[in-house]
Amino acid sequence: ERVTDKAREMRQYQGKPISTDGPLVARYRDKQLTIERGTIVAGGSRLDISGTLPLEEGGPAGTIKVDTRIDLASAMEYVPLDQPVTAQGTLLIQGTITGTLKRIDPNIAVSLENGYIDTAQLNPPLANINLQAQVQGGTVDIQKLYADLGPASITASGEIPFSLLPA
Protein backbone atom coordinates (compact mmCIF):
# COMPACT_ATOMS: atom_id res chain seq x y z
CA GLU A 1 0.00 0.00 0.00
CA ARG A 2 1.30 3.43 -0.94
CA VAL A 3 1.11 6.41 1.39
CA THR A 4 1.69 9.98 0.24
CA ASP A 5 1.79 12.83 2.74
CA LYS A 6 0.31 16.15 1.62
CA ALA A 7 2.99 18.45 0.20
CA ARG A 8 4.38 20.94 2.67
CA GLU A 9 2.03 19.81 5.43
CA MET A 10 3.12 21.60 8.58
CA ARG A 11 3.69 19.87 11.87
CA GLN A 12 5.24 21.23 15.04
CA TYR A 13 7.74 20.00 17.57
CA GLN A 14 8.65 22.10 20.59
CA GLY A 15 6.36 24.74 19.06
CA LYS A 16 8.56 25.04 15.96
CA PRO A 17 7.47 24.09 12.43
CA ILE A 18 8.48 20.87 10.69
CA SER A 19 7.32 20.22 7.14
CA THR A 20 7.84 18.03 4.13
CA ASP A 21 9.26 19.52 0.96
CA GLY A 22 6.95 17.95 -1.58
CA PRO A 23 5.17 14.66 -1.03
CA LEU A 24 6.57 12.03 1.32
CA VAL A 25 6.12 8.89 -0.75
CA ALA A 26 6.42 5.55 1.09
CA ARG A 27 4.93 2.08 0.88
CA TYR A 28 4.92 -1.12 2.91
CA ARG A 29 4.84 -4.39 0.99
CA ASP A 30 6.31 -7.86 1.50
CA LYS A 31 7.61 -6.91 4.95
CA GLN A 32 9.64 -4.03 3.52
CA LEU A 33 9.35 -0.28 3.95
CA THR A 34 10.21 1.60 0.76
CA ILE A 35 10.65 5.35 0.83
CA GLU A 36 10.64 6.58 -2.75
CA ARG A 37 11.27 10.14 -1.73
CA GLY A 38 11.18 11.97 1.54
CA THR A 39 12.39 15.41 2.48
CA ILE A 40 11.82 16.85 5.93
CA VAL A 41 12.60 20.50 6.67
CA ALA A 42 12.92 22.03 10.14
CA GLY A 43 14.31 25.53 10.59
CA GLY A 44 17.47 25.77 8.51
CA SER A 45 17.90 21.98 8.46
CA ARG A 46 16.97 19.39 5.86
CA LEU A 47 16.79 15.58 5.75
CA ASP A 48 16.53 13.77 2.40
CA ILE A 49 15.89 10.04 2.64
CA SER A 50 15.10 7.29 0.14
CA GLY A 51 15.47 3.52 -0.19
CA THR A 52 14.18 0.22 1.13
CA LEU A 53 14.49 -1.32 4.59
CA PRO A 54 13.27 -4.86 5.40
CA LEU A 55 11.40 -4.84 8.70
CA GLU A 56 12.03 -8.54 9.47
CA GLU A 57 15.04 -10.83 9.36
CA GLY A 58 15.39 -13.41 6.65
CA GLY A 59 14.79 -11.31 3.58
CA PRO A 60 17.29 -9.53 1.38
CA ALA A 61 19.16 -6.55 2.83
CA GLY A 62 17.93 -3.11 1.93
CA THR A 63 19.63 0.23 1.51
CA ILE A 64 18.51 3.62 2.81
CA LYS A 65 20.24 6.71 1.45
CA VAL A 66 20.53 9.63 3.88
CA ASP A 67 21.56 13.19 3.06
CA THR A 68 21.19 15.57 5.99
CA ARG A 69 22.22 19.18 6.50
CA ILE A 70 21.70 20.50 10.02
CA ASP A 71 22.01 24.18 10.87
CA LEU A 72 22.98 23.94 14.53
CA ALA A 73 21.74 27.43 15.43
CA SER A 74 18.16 26.72 14.34
CA ALA A 75 18.28 23.04 15.34
CA MET A 76 18.80 23.95 19.00
CA GLU A 77 15.28 25.42 19.04
CA TYR A 78 13.94 21.85 18.55
CA VAL A 79 15.94 20.26 21.37
CA PRO A 80 14.29 20.18 24.81
CA LEU A 81 16.98 21.37 27.23
CA ASP A 82 17.02 22.39 30.89
CA GLN A 83 19.76 24.97 30.23
CA PRO A 84 20.08 27.08 27.08
CA VAL A 85 22.74 26.11 24.54
CA THR A 86 24.03 28.40 21.83
CA ALA A 87 25.34 26.53 18.81
CA GLN A 88 26.45 27.48 15.32
CA GLY A 89 27.82 25.64 12.33
CA THR A 90 26.65 23.18 9.72
CA LEU A 91 26.55 19.45 10.43
CA LEU A 92 26.44 17.19 7.36
CA ILE A 93 25.44 13.52 7.61
CA GLN A 94 25.59 11.67 4.29
CA GLY A 95 25.71 8.06 3.22
CA THR A 96 23.85 4.78 3.29
CA ILE A 97 22.45 2.37 5.83
CA THR A 98 22.20 -1.21 4.61
CA GLY A 99 20.78 -4.33 6.21
CA THR A 100 17.53 -4.92 8.05
CA LEU A 101 15.80 -3.08 10.87
CA LYS A 102 17.38 -5.44 13.44
CA ARG A 103 20.83 -5.51 11.85
CA ILE A 104 21.95 -2.25 10.27
CA ASP A 105 25.30 -1.51 8.68
CA PRO A 106 25.88 2.23 8.29
CA ASN A 107 28.36 3.80 5.91
CA ILE A 108 27.92 7.43 6.91
CA ALA A 109 30.19 10.45 6.56
CA VAL A 110 29.80 13.08 9.29
CA SER A 111 31.30 16.55 9.07
CA LEU A 112 30.96 19.77 11.00
CA GLU A 113 32.32 23.07 9.78
CA ASN A 114 32.85 26.24 11.79
CA GLY A 115 31.07 24.85 14.83
CA TYR A 116 30.51 26.79 18.02
CA ILE A 117 28.98 25.63 21.32
CA ASP A 118 28.34 27.75 24.40
CA THR A 119 26.52 26.86 27.62
CA ALA A 120 26.44 28.33 31.10
CA GLN A 121 28.70 25.48 32.24
CA LEU A 122 31.21 25.83 29.40
CA ASN A 123 33.57 28.73 29.92
CA PRO A 124 35.11 29.56 27.55
CA PRO A 125 32.92 28.20 24.74
CA LEU A 126 34.13 25.69 22.15
CA ALA A 127 34.79 27.56 18.90
CA ASN A 128 36.10 26.83 15.42
CA ILE A 129 34.94 23.20 15.73
CA ASN A 130 35.74 21.15 12.63
CA LEU A 131 35.05 17.44 12.41
CA GLN A 132 35.40 14.79 9.74
CA ALA A 133 34.36 11.26 10.68
CA GLN A 134 33.18 8.05 9.05
CA VAL A 135 30.74 5.59 10.63
CA GLN A 136 31.17 2.12 9.15
CA GLY A 137 32.18 -1.44 9.95
CA GLY A 138 31.13 -1.20 13.59
CA THR A 139 33.31 1.83 14.33
CA VAL A 140 33.37 5.61 14.35
CA ASP A 141 36.56 6.68 12.60
CA ILE A 142 37.38 10.26 13.63
CA GLN A 143 39.61 11.40 10.82
CA LYS A 144 39.94 14.95 12.08
CA LEU A 145 38.59 16.83 15.07
CA TYR A 146 39.73 20.36 15.85
CA ALA A 147 38.35 22.97 18.25
CA ASP A 148 39.45 26.06 20.15
CA LEU A 149 38.77 26.29 23.87
CA GLY A 150 39.79 29.82 24.81
CA PRO A 151 43.54 30.10 24.16
CA ALA A 152 43.89 26.27 23.92
CA SER A 153 43.42 24.11 20.86
CA ILE A 154 42.06 20.58 20.85
CA THR A 155 42.94 18.10 18.10
CA ALA A 156 41.98 14.46 17.94
CA SER A 157 41.72 11.50 15.62
CA GLY A 158 41.14 7.83 16.16
CA GLU A 159 38.76 4.94 15.91
CA ILE A 160 36.03 4.13 18.45
CA PRO A 161 34.39 0.68 18.23
CA PHE A 162 30.60 0.71 18.74
CA SER A 163 31.14 -1.81 21.55
CA LEU A 164 32.74 0.95 23.64
CA LEU A 165 29.81 3.35 23.19
CA PRO A 166 26.98 3.36 25.75
CA ALA A 167 23.93 1.36 24.67
Side-chain angles (χ1 to χ4, degrees):
E1 185 161 321
R2 185 176 162 138
V3 178
T4 303
D5 199 11
K6 295 176 185 171
R8 298 194 183 273
E9 186 171 336
M10 297 292 272
R11 304 269 190 247
Q12 288 197 347
Y13 181 76
Q14 296 292 107
K16 302 294 180 191
I18 297 176
S19 65
T20 58
D21 186 6
L24 176 60
V25 181
R27 71 172 181 267
Y28 175 78
R29 183 175 30 171
D30 299 328
K31 300 178 183 175
Q32 292 191 64
L33 175 64
T34 299
I35 302 169
E36 293 177 24
R37 179 183 65 226
T39 300
I40 299 170
V41 179
S45 302
R46 178 182 186 96
L47 164 67
D48 292 303
I49 188 168
S50 62
T52 301
L53 184 65
L55 300 181
E56 294 186 15
E57 292 291 327
T63 300
I64 298 287
K65 182 181 176 190
V66 177
D67 188 0
T68 305
R69 180 182 182 90
I70 300 172
D71 172 62
L72 294 180
S74 65
M76 295 314 299
E77 298 176 5
Y78 292 85
V79 181
L81 299 169
D82 293 333
Q83 300 290 324
V85 174
T86 301
Q88 296 175 355
T90 302
L91 179 66
L92 301 175
I93 303 170
Q94 300 168 314
T96 59
I97 301 169
T98 58
T100 66
L101 187 61
K102 292 185 179 184
R103 182 171 297 196
I104 63 169
D105 183 19
N107 184 0
I108 303 286
V110 178
S111 66
L112 173 62
E113 295 179 1
N114 302 316
Y116 175 88
I117 299 174
D118 189 15
T119 69
Q121 294 79 23
L122 190 60
N123 187 14
L126 282 170
N128 195 27
I129 307 167
N130 288 282
L131 167 70
Q132 289 183 343
Q134 188 74 30
V135 179
Q136 68 181 10
T139 66
V140 177
D141 179 14
I142 300 171
Q143 298 152 349
K144 178 182 83 171
L145 172 62
Y146 178 87
D148 292 330
L149 183 63
S153 295
I154 301 168
T155 59
S157 63
E159 196 169 286
I160 304 169
F162 287 163
S163 61
L164 294 179
L165 299 175

